[in-house]
């Protein structure tokens, strides 16, 4: 459930009509709903009760400082994958004791930053990385808490590019090698291995791959415990799917029940790293129709938003539901290809989408654009970076300004020998 709905024929974010924001801020823009974010984090946490669970929101999904601040105020910590995300999480007030650091390629400066900040744990994904953590911690005169991310060799059944738990994927340590890595870790003086981690993919529409992966995690945990290793934390990653259309998704309550059933009795602290399920349906991308073009075989709605603003359709064949901001009284729908202005055929948001009659200047909203949307924007075609707006009840604020071409041109220079 989200807080974007039509009132008096206009799509609103909570109590604010989106056309009003468009008039004041210009298009395109991302708009997030506070009430929706709060609802989603609440429902997710409720679904896990009564497990000893800490939710480390996956910052990569939507790293806007205001979004992080709302989540921190609602009890969430953070899953970060770069020094930049760690900086954001800390700046938003997320407690270091609820921050985990994931990712296959943490650099020494990033590891140093994490150890200095005294975060909950670093999830290591290889032995060289474990050794790097030990080395950096030693230089700082500290002991770093680390967990070992296992690759369970389970296919999440999601899009190929966002499935991460298969043997051939770059993530984690092969699950059969857990004992070996823990033994090696025990010999390192500046690392304390505190647990295990897993993340098998994103946008999972089915609980079965989780069930299989967590069963494997359960077996490895029991084996390590029997070998005398203490396993304090089990980080189960993120990945729970979000409805982009009418396809049903497992609810957080069903997910939580499955976790409790499969692995809940191990006496560990559980960490969760949801991203999309928290932020996805809490945001929309609002764009204006620039032209309506009758092509040889198709009608094109050409928008002022493009693939650089929302890359998901081009990259993952994702389809975001696109709706007019002004509710159409006319029930008639004609198929249209909805495209952006970028010079690639890949800059297509949807083909043959049933749309009401639309005219230049009309506004549309892309639903489910709160996750992996603004964060993946680029300046391709020297376009601006889209601003982000946060709504809360009757109020709205620009929480990330539009970054114009002049803003980033200020960082570009002409090589001295070219200046005649
Ligand atoms: N934990 C780890 C270690 C991850 O790699 C990810 C996502 C998450 C948690 C959060 O997963 P979520 O709950 O959001 O599914 N850009 C892609 C999605 C990439 C996901 C990467 N990792 C997209 O737009 O679909």
């Amino acid at each position: 459930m989200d807080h974007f709905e039509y009132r008096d024929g206009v799509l609103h974010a909570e109590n604010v009509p989106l056309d009003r924001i468009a008039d004041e801020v210009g298009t395109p823009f991302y708009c997030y709903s506070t009430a929706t974010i709060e609802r989603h984090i609440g429902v997710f946490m409720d679904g896990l009760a009564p497990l000893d669970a800490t939710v480390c929101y996956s910052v990569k999904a939507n790293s806007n400082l205001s979004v992080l601040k709302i989540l921190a105020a609602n009890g969430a910590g953070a899953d970060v994958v770069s020094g930049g995300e760690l900086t954001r999480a800390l700046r938003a007030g997320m407690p270091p004791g609820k921050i985990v650091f994931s990712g296959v390629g943490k650099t020494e400066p990033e590891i140093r930053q994490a150890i200095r900040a005294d975060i909950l744990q670093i999830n290591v994904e290889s032995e060289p990385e474990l050794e790097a953590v030990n080395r950096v911690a030693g230089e700082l005169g500290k002991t770093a808490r680390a967990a070992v991310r296992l690759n369970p060799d389970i296919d999440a059944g999601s899009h190929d590019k966002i499935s991460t738990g298969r043997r051939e994927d770059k993530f984690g340590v092969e699950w059969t090698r857990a004992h070996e890595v823990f033994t090696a870790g025990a010999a390192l003086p500046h690392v304390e291995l505190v647990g295990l981690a897993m993340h098998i993919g994103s946008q999972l529409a089915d609980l079965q791959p989780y069930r299989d992966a967590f069963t494997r995690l359960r077996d490895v945990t029991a084996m390590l415990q029997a070998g005398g290793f203490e396993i304090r934390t089990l980080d189960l990653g993120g990945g729970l799917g979000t409805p982009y259309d009418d396809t049903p998704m497992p609810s957080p309550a069903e997910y939580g029940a499955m976790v409790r059933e499969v692995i809940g009795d191990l006496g560990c602290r559980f960490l969760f790293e949801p991203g999309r399920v928290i932020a996805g349906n809490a945001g929309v991308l609002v764009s204006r129709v620039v032209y309506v073009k009758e092509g040889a075989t198709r009608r094109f709605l050409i928008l002022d938003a493009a693939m650089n603003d929302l890359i998901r359709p081009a990259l993952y064949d994702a389809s975001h539901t696109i709706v007019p901001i002004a509710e159409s009284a006319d029930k008639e729908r004609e198929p249209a290809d909805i495209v952006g202005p970028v010079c690639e055929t890949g800059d297509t948001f949807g083909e043959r989408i049933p749309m009401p009659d639309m005219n230049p200047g009309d506004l549309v909203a892309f639903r489910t654009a709160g996750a992996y949307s603004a964060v993946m924007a680029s300046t391709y075609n020297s376009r601006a970076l889209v601003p982000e707006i946060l709504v809360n009840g009757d109020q709205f604020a620009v929480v990330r300004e539009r970054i114009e071409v002049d803003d980033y041109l200020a960082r570009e220079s002409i090589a001295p020998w070219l200046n005649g």
Side-chain angles (χ1 to χ4, degrees):
M1 205 211 99
D2 59 57
H3 292 263
F4 294 93
E5 59 182 24
Y6 287 101
R7 291 190 200 162
D8 304 323
V10 178
L11 190 63
H12 281 57
E14 303 187 22
N15 300 332
V16 184
L18 287 166
D19 57 357
R20 199 173 102 210
I21 303 179
D23 288 344
E24 290 189 28
V25 175
T27 54
F29 64 89
Y30 281 99
C31 176
Y32 310 130
S33 149
T34 304
T36 311
I37 297 169
E38 287 178 335
R39 182 185 146 79
H40 288 176
I41 190 72
V43 167
F44 193 85
M45 286 177 167
D46 288 350
L48 300 173
L51 278 181
D52 176 7
T54 302
V55 175
C56 301
Y57 164 72
S58 193
V59 170
K60 65 171 81 66
N62 184 325
S63 58
N64 183 279
L65 278 180
S66 294
V67 170
L68 298 183
K69 191 119 194 145
I70 296 168
L71 290 167
N74 282 270
D79 157 46
V80 301
V81 292
S82 70
E85 285 191 354
L86 178 54
T87 300
R88 279 180 181 274
L90 293 170
R91 195 163 299 172
M94 276 165 164
K98 288 189 187 173
I99 298 179
V100 299
F101 198 145
S102 308
V104 291
K106 300 170 205 81
T107 62
E108 290 202 0
E110 288 176 323
I111 294 169
R112 199 168 298 123
Q113 187 187 354
I115 296 173
R116 283 211 174 111
D118 199 21
I119 66 166
L120 175 59
Q121 66 185 43
I122 299 176
N123 293 345
V124 298
E125 305 216 10
S126 65
E127 280 140 311
E129 195 190 18
L130 185 57
E131 283 153 21
V133 171
N134 181 59
R135 194 165 54 241
V136 174
E139 282 161 17
L140 294 173
K142 299 201 169 178
T143 304
R145 284 176 297 277
V148 176
R149 176 169 172 181
L150 296 180
N151 181 320
D153 193 20
I154 300 285
D155 189 341
S158 185
H159 190 280
D160 180 52
K161 287 195 170 79
I162 54 174
S163 295
T164 51
R166 301 158 300 190
R167 209 172 174 199
E168 57 276 18
D169 296 325
K170 67 179 174 181
F171 299 98
V173 171
E174 200 176 0
W175 65 279
T176 51
R177 298 193 50 243
H179 192 272
E180 207 178 318
V181 176
F182 265 72
T183 305
L188 299 175
H190 303 292
V191 174
E192 185 192 3
L193 283 183
V194 295
L196 294 165
M198 237 180 216
H199 171 76
I200 60 170
S202 193
Q203 188 57 9
L204 271 74
D206 184 4
L207 292 180
Q208 192 59 42
Y210 278 126
R211 194 175 271 282
D212 296 343
F214 296 162
T215 303
R216 199 147 267 181
L217 185 61
R218 179 191 176 85
D219 293 346
V220 174
T221 304
M223 182 265 293
L224 289 172
Q225 286 171 333
F229 295 106
E230 194 192 354
I231 304 297
R232 297 211 295 268
T233 62
L234 288 178
D235 181 340
L236 304 188
L240 194 61
T242 294
Y244 282 77
D245 49 27
D246 297 334
T247 314
M249 289 288 156
S251 67
E254 289 164 330
Y255 170 81
M258 179 272 302
V259 169
R260 287 194 298 277
E261 182 201 323
V262 177
I263 201 169
D265 62 342
L266 288 177
C268 302
R269 173 181 180 185
F270 289 91
L271 309 178
F272 296 86
E273 303 173 352
R276 191 190 313 261
V277 77
I278 307 297
N281 277 317
V284 296
L285 169 64
V286 175
S287 175
R288 219 177 261 285
V289 177
V290 183
Y291 296 111
V292 180
K293 170 170 161 173
E294 295 299 336
T297 59
R298 308 215 176 165
R299 179 169 68 121
F300 294 101
L301 294 186
I302 303 172
L303 306 182
D304 64 0
M307 63 189 291
N308 71 298
D309 307 313
L310 179 67
I311 191 82
R312 303 195 65 261
L315 198 55
Y316 312 111
D317 308 307
S319 72
H320 287 253
T321 302
I322 302 168
V323 295
I325 299 278
E327 198 172 22
S328 173
D330 184 359
K331 292 278 167 269
E332 189 126 331
R333 296 286 180 274
E334 288 288 334
D337 282 19
I338 304 181
V339 302
V342 159
C343 303
E344 295 195 24
T345 302
D347 187 23
T348 296
F349 294 118
E351 292 182 65
R352 301 196 172 278
I353 308 293
M355 291 294 285
D357 192 31
M358 302 283 297
N359 294 298
D362 288 349
L363 294 164
V364 296
F366 291 73
R367 306 297 309 262
T368 325
Y372 304 113
S373 298
V375 282
M376 296 183 78
S378 77
T379 57
Y380 186 42
N381 277 210
S382 288
R383 289 168 51 84
L385 282 175
V386 192
E388 295 172 87
I389 314 300
L390 181 70
V391 167
N392 182 21
D394 297 327
Q395 14 169 19
F396 76 88
V398 178
V399 289
R400 217 276 318 273
E401 285 177 33
R402 190 182 306 279
I403 297 177
E404 302 283 4
V405 67
D406 281 338
D407 295 323
Y408 58 85
L409 271 183
R411 296 247 158 185
E412 198 167 317
S413 52
I414 296 184
W417 59 87
L418 294 174
N419 278 324

